[in-house]
Amino acid sequence: MSVLGIVILAGTGLLTGSFLNLVSDRLYRKKDFVAGRSYCEFCKHTLSSWDLIPVFSFLFLNGKCRYCRKKLSLLYPISELLTAAIFVFAYFLISYRNLEIIYLPYFLIGFSLLIVIFLSDYKYYEIPFNTVIFGVIFSFIYRVLFLQNLTSENYIYELASILGIGLFFYLIIFLSRGGMGGGDFKLSFFISIFLGFPKNVYAIYYSFVIGGIFALILLVGGKKGLKAKIPFGPFMILGTLLSLLI
């Protein structure tokens, strides 16, 4: 891919990141994210095209709504930039691992679903069930039809890892009595099918390592107590990216 192609891919990531933020908000509010204009969450004023340019609008407006001047969350430009970076990461991943280009749409769509889940769990402590289900169905069908890596030789390992990871999360939820949410249990199936064996096992391992380090930092710093609620979905998604990177 040329430099221009990478720039276009990054630009697509910026636009997609802006849309995914909207999706996460409207899924939580049980609103349609396809129809309807974007509006300010504070004053409900309909936003113009100039208000919706990824990153640029936030910087140009000094991080405030053009109409009511309320301060906007930094999560908007950060998620847009991260989505752009992840889109470019997807290309370099398949290039580095000498994968066929058919993997690119698979990663782009899969990562987009994971970003929606990341934002939803981070902001609202809720993992949208419909997004997880769509991710499971998409990953399975795409792999069977296009990637052809669910062969008879590794089918048993794939199935065993998916069920094993699911059982692992179920036991944690049961033993902790609500210490971990059911959304994480469902997300584990999406990640397991999306990555396949053995990357799914590595992803879960990395997620607990990252989550444990983060929780320890918060405890030592006095930011959170032992019974504080911390969303685990973002750590599972970071573990997913890390398993693909290493």
Side-chain angles (χ1 to χ4, degrees), residues 106 110 134-144 190 193-194:
Y106 179 71
F134 181 82
V136 168
I137 296 172
F138 162 76
S139 300
F140 180 78
I141 293 177
Y142 199 98
R143 288 183 62 188
V144 170
F190 173 25
I193 298 173
F194 177 67

Side-chain angles (χ1 to χ4, degrees), residues 164-177:
I165 289 172
L167 178 61
F168 173 69
F169 273 88
Y170 178 81
L171 288 174
I172 292 178
I173 294 171
F174 177 77
L175 295 174
S176 64
R177 298 186 179 184

Side-chain angles (χ1 to χ4, degrees), residues 84-100:
I86 289 173
F87 272 34
V88 175
F89 165 76
Y91 166 72
F92 281 105
L93 179 67
I94 64 174
S95 177
Y96 175 74
R97 297 196 180 279
N98 294 318
L99 300 174
E100 297 178 3

Side-chain angles (χ1 to χ4, degrees), residues 26-52:
R26 295 198 180 181
L27 282 175
Y28 176 73
R29 296 181 176 88
K30 304 296 188 294
K31 293 183 178 181
D32 188 358
F33 57 82
V34 177
R37 297 283 301 277
S38 297
Y39 56 86
C40 173
E41 296 294 338
F42 300 105
C43 64
K44 309 303 178 183
H45 194 289
T46 301
L47 302 179
S48 68
S49 300
W50 289 104
D51 301 320
L52 299 172

Side-chain angles (χ1 to χ4, degrees), residues 52-126:
L52 299 172
I53 302 174
V55 182
F56 173 80
S57 294
F58 186 90
L59 295 175
F60 182 75
L61 296 172
N62 199 26
K64 297 178 181 178
C65 171
R66 181 194 299 271
Y67 309 100
C68 66
R69 307 307 297 169
K70 289 283 188 179
K71 192 173 182 180
L72 303 176
S73 172
L74 268 173
L75 195 60
Y76 291 106
I78 290 174
S79 62
E80 291 164 356
L81 289 169
L82 285 178
T83 304
I86 289 173
F87 272 34
V88 175
F89 165 76
Y91 166 72
F92 281 105
L93 179 67
I94 64 174
S95 177
Y96 175 74
R97 297 196 180 279
N98 294 318
L99 300 174
E100 297 178 3
I101 197 63
I102 193 67
Y103 275 87
L104 185 58
Y106 179 71
F107 284 140
L108 295 184
I109 295 173
F111 288 158
S112 295
L113 295 172
L114 290 172
I115 290 170
V116 170
I117 295 170
F118 184 105
L119 293 171
S120 298
D121 202 20
Y122 179 81
K123 291 188 286 188
Y124 307 115
Y125 295 87
E126 183 175 299

